[in-house]
Amino acid sequence: MINRYLTTAIPYVNGVPHIGHAMDYCLADVCARYYKLLGDNVRVQAGTDEHGGKIFQKARELNIPVQEYVDSNAKKFQDFIAKLNVSYTDFVRTSDPDHEKRVQEIWKKLSSHIYLEKYEGWYCTGCERFITQKEYDENGGVCPDHQKPYEKLEEENYYFRISDFKDKIREAIESGEMLILPDFRKKEIMKLLDESPDVSVSRPKSQLKWGITVPDDESQTMYVWLDALSNYITVLGYPDNDISDWWPATAQFVGKDILRFHAIIWPAMLLGLGLPLPKTIVSHGMVLANGQKMSKSIGNVVDPLEVIECYGVDAFRYFFLRKVDTFADADFTWEKFEESYNNELANDFGNLVQRLSTMMSKNHVALGDVSIELPEEYKALMDKFEFSMAFDYAWSLVQDINKRIDDEKPWALAKAGEGEKLEECLQNLAGSLMIANLMLEPFLPNATAKVKEVFEAEQVAPPVQPLFPKH
Ligand code: MSP
């Protein structure tokens, strides 16, 4: 059996989950369910990123002790993941003492690549990122994502010598040893890698207290990204445990906005630790709301729980996994969502199940012995993490079955008393539906489980409740 380790980015807990946060979870979950269908062993990590200036400032603003604040928001993310019908095997909170201790060990192991130097430059707390002078100039001193002027920092920091690893990272990306998906992001990363200076990996405690203390230097707090990136292996028990059964990860799911950290700093850390690089980094696009970045100040943040409560989790997953191209930016509007729910989910799939099961029930036809296997074309797409395309492929079979019903007119066979032909026709159609259903299992776990129940019963009976109920 193959072991597969899948990871998701750990969100900052300076707010509640929004629809964009769902992407990593949904993609990793589809992948995990697919590997399980193939019979592989799967481990999925999730977690919360709880340190850094952004979270500290937010807790201050709200006048809540910071630990209390992160505790309550971490819980909201855990609840959110459960609502998405996403399961994970390991959950890490970066304020866990185990994680903190392990990150300090990691720092010590990297210490020959770390040096102390004065940092004079810019920082964006929203991005939790040191900003180069070039970027500062290009953006006129204001962060385009957070609309806030970059902060000027003049402090003594530890630096991580990325230059020690640049050649190896470049080679790993070029050779596909560490595959970056989609392919078009590779060029951007290569350019960033070439330009990437050594990264500052600490802040003076006088400037930032909320984080992990640098080993043997009480005056410094570790940079939140060094702390956060380590989660992918601390959660497996590194360095206390041998993690070679699970590491390197089969795939790490991240948004395109944080690909740079995962394709440059993270591989440099792994190389410094003598660990292999992840096999694939899958970077998805951004979800916008009505064409705009979601932001509390614009007031266009879409609450994912509202969508799920109203339309159900499968409808949510349908939209974000099929209507949203796995690798591209996408726009959420209630109109688009409603349209895809009515015209596709309920019409194409819901009605097909209803129609076919009703005919089978009326004519006392059971599924019979059919061989149900995943088509090679589908597997090829899933293996390349082309999930929305694989979903399309499965859906085209659903549409094809609908068309076949219209063409083959089983009701006419029934009327003409052609019992044998009718049975054969319905069983063929149901067999195809079971193949489509199997392909859809990773995407729509609830509905597909119900469909299986309906068609695998000795006496087929149409579902009592609609497959995709709306509340
Ligand atoms: N804490 C870091 C990740 C550390 S991983 C070692 C972080 N947190 S985040 O909360 O800003 O983002 C968490 C994940 O959600 C990232 O993969 C990010 O790309 C994704 N998204 C956040 N907003 C998003 C959209 N609007 N659309 C799609 N994904 C988005 O970055």
Side-chain angles (χ1 to χ4, degrees):
M1 272 222 257
I2 303 174
N3 282 355
R4 311 269 196 182
Y5 179 45
L6 305 176
T7 74
T8 56
I10 53 172
Y12 295 119
V13 289
N14 62 325
V16 295
H18 59 66
I19 49 172
H21 288 127
M23 288 307 293
D24 288 331
Y25 301 131
C26 288
L27 295 174
D29 190 60
V30 163
C31 197
R33 289 177 191 269
Y34 168 65
Y35 289 142
K36 284 184 201 158
L37 281 182
L38 299 183
D40 299 342
N41 280 326
V42 188
R43 203 158 163 176
V44 182
Q45 151 284 9
T48 37
D49 193 352
E50 304 188 356
H51 290 136
K54 176 150 78 170
I55 288 166
F56 186 75
Q57 282 176 11
K58 189 74 199 190
R60 269 263 166 98
E61 252 171 53
L62 298 170
N63 210 8
I64 303 175
V66 62
Q67 187 66 55
E68 207 174 285
Y69 178 63
V70 298
D71 285 349
S72 107
N73 279 350
K75 170 88 180 51
K76 289 180 189 147
F77 276 90
Q78 284 169 335
D79 293 346
F80 172 54
I81 298 173
K83 287 259 162 61
L84 291 172
N85 205 353
V86 164
S87 42
Y88 51 81
T89 49
D90 302 86
F91 196 90
V92 54
R93 294 183 54 190
T94 57
S95 66
D96 281 350
D98 270 353
H99 168 80
E100 293 183 349
K101 186 190 96 236
R102 288 173 179 158
V103 175
Q104 288 184 320
E105 295 296 321
I106 288 173
W107 177 287
K108 286 189 206 154
K109 282 176 183 281
L110 293 174
S111 60
S112 61
H113 305 282
I114 292 177
Y115 58 94
L116 196 60
E117 203 168 280
K118 189 152 188 219
Y119 178 77
E120 247 194 89
W122 307 99
Y123 194 77
C124 173
T125 305
C127 300
E128 292 287 15
R129 193 157 69 77
F130 296 89
I131 306 296
T132 59
Q133 188 61 44
K134 183 167 168 254
E135 239 183 314
Y136 178 92
D137 294 339
E138 278 168 6
N139 295 330
V142 179
C143 172
D145 287 336
H146 298 95
Q147 299 299 326
K148 283 203 180 128
Y150 294 126
E151 291 159 54
K152 172 106 189 154
L153 301 187
E154 275 189 59
E155 52 193 38
E156 193 156 62
N157 292 351
Y158 285 102
Y159 279 73
F160 181 41
R161 211 178 289 114
I162 295 280
S163 45
D164 289 351
F165 307 104
K166 276 191 181 179
D167 290 346
K168 281 208 177 129
I169 299 174
R170 199 175 293 117
E171 257 172 57
I173 297 177
E174 265 163 6
S175 68
E177 178 195 338
M178 180 175 79
L179 197 64
I180 294 190
L181 293 179
D183 194 58
F184 62 81
R185 297 242 170 266
K186 232 162 75 176
K187 262 201 208 119
E188 286 166 27
I189 289 298
M190 288 302 207
K191 190 163 174 282
L192 277 173
L193 179 66
D194 287 338
E195 291 167 358
S196 179
D198 287 350
V199 277
S200 174
V201 286
S202 74
R203 304 283 318 271
K205 263 229 175 111
S206 54
Q207 302 301 311
L208 176 67
K209 275 187 215 61
W210 182 241
I212 304 178
T213 304
V214 168
D216 306 320
D217 189 346
E218 285 290 321
S219 71
Q220 293 269 336
T221 305
M222 260 183 235
Y223 175 40
V224 64
W225 270 98
L226 203 84
D227 163 359
L229 287 164
S230 303
N231 92 84
Y232 300 126
I233 50 176
T234 61
V235 78
L236 298 177
Y238 184 86
D240 303 328
N241 304 343
D242 173 10
I243 59 168
S244 58
D245 279 348
W246 296 99
W247 190 264
T250 304
Q252 300 207 258
F253 294 91
V254 301
K256 68 172 189 189
D257 55 331
I258 58 167
L259 177 61
R260 57 166 71 208
F261 299 96
H262 288 80
I264 301 174
I265 304 181
W266 178 224
M269 289 170 66
L270 290 166
L271 291 168
L273 296 169
L275 290 173
L277 302 182
K279 291 190 184 140
T280 317
I281 306 177
V282 182
S283 72
H284 58 81
M286 293 292 112
V287 178
L288 309 172
N290 285 305
Q292 275 180 307
K293 191 177 149 61
M294 274 176 288
S295 115
K296 285 196 195 107
S297 50
I298 303 175
N300 63 347
V301 180
V302 180
D303 177 2
L305 299 181
E306 194 185 332
V307 182
I308 294 172
E309 253 145 49
C310 184
Y311 292 90
V313 64
D314 276 356
F316 185 93
R317 292 172 64 115
Y318 178 80
F319 187 84
F320 287 99
L321 292 164
R322 175 156 189 246
K323 307 311 283 181
V324 169
D325 178 304
T326 305
F327 300 120
D329 289 349
D331 192 25
F332 176 93
T333 67
W334 283 100
E335 293 73 27
K336 278 188 202 168
F337 187 90
E338 175 89 24
E339 196 186 296
S340 80
Y341 170 83
N342 285 331
N343 298 347
E344 297 171 16
L345 252 196
N347 235 356
D348 290 349
F349 195 53
N351 282 351
L352 168 60
V353 169
Q354 196 65 34
R355 243 174 136 190
L356 195 53
S357 57
T358 306
M359 285 190 275
M360 289 173 80
S361 159
K362 251 182 156 171
N363 296 289
H364 309 289
V365 175
L367 181 61
D369 284 335
V370 278
S371 114
I372 301 157
E373 277 176 23
L374 290 173
E376 290 305 320
E377 292 90 332
Y378 168 88
K379 286 204 269 185
L381 292 168
M382 293 297 278
D383 289 341
K384 287 189 286 181
F385 306 95
E386 292 278 8
F387 301 134
S388 52
M389 281 169 78
F391 205 154
D392 280 347
Y393 180 85
W395 211 257
S396 65
L397 180 55
V398 169
Q399 288 167 328
D400 182 55
I401 304 167
N402 272 317
K403 187 166 174 302
R404 271 165 57 198
I405 297 182
D406 294 343
D407 292 346
E408 292 170 23
K409 302 187 177 48
W411 52 89
L413 294 174
K415 208 166 167 194
E418 303 254 24
E420 247 175 64
K421 277 194 185 160
L422 174 66
E423 185 178 46
E424 196 189 356
C425 166
L426 290 177
Q427 284 183 335
N428 280 339
L429 290 165
S432 298
L433 175 58
M434 294 316 283
I435 294 173
N437 198 60
L438 183 64
M439 291 194 276
L440 293 173
E441 264 185 39
F443 299 97
L444 307 174
N446 287 348
T448 51
K450 284 190 203 145
V451 171
K452 254 172 109 169
E453 245 173 61
V454 165
F455 287 90
E456 284 176 359
E458 260 171 51
Q459 289 187 351
V460 175
V464 191
Q465 301 283 333
L467 270 191
F468 305 104
K470 186 175 165 186
H471 300 288

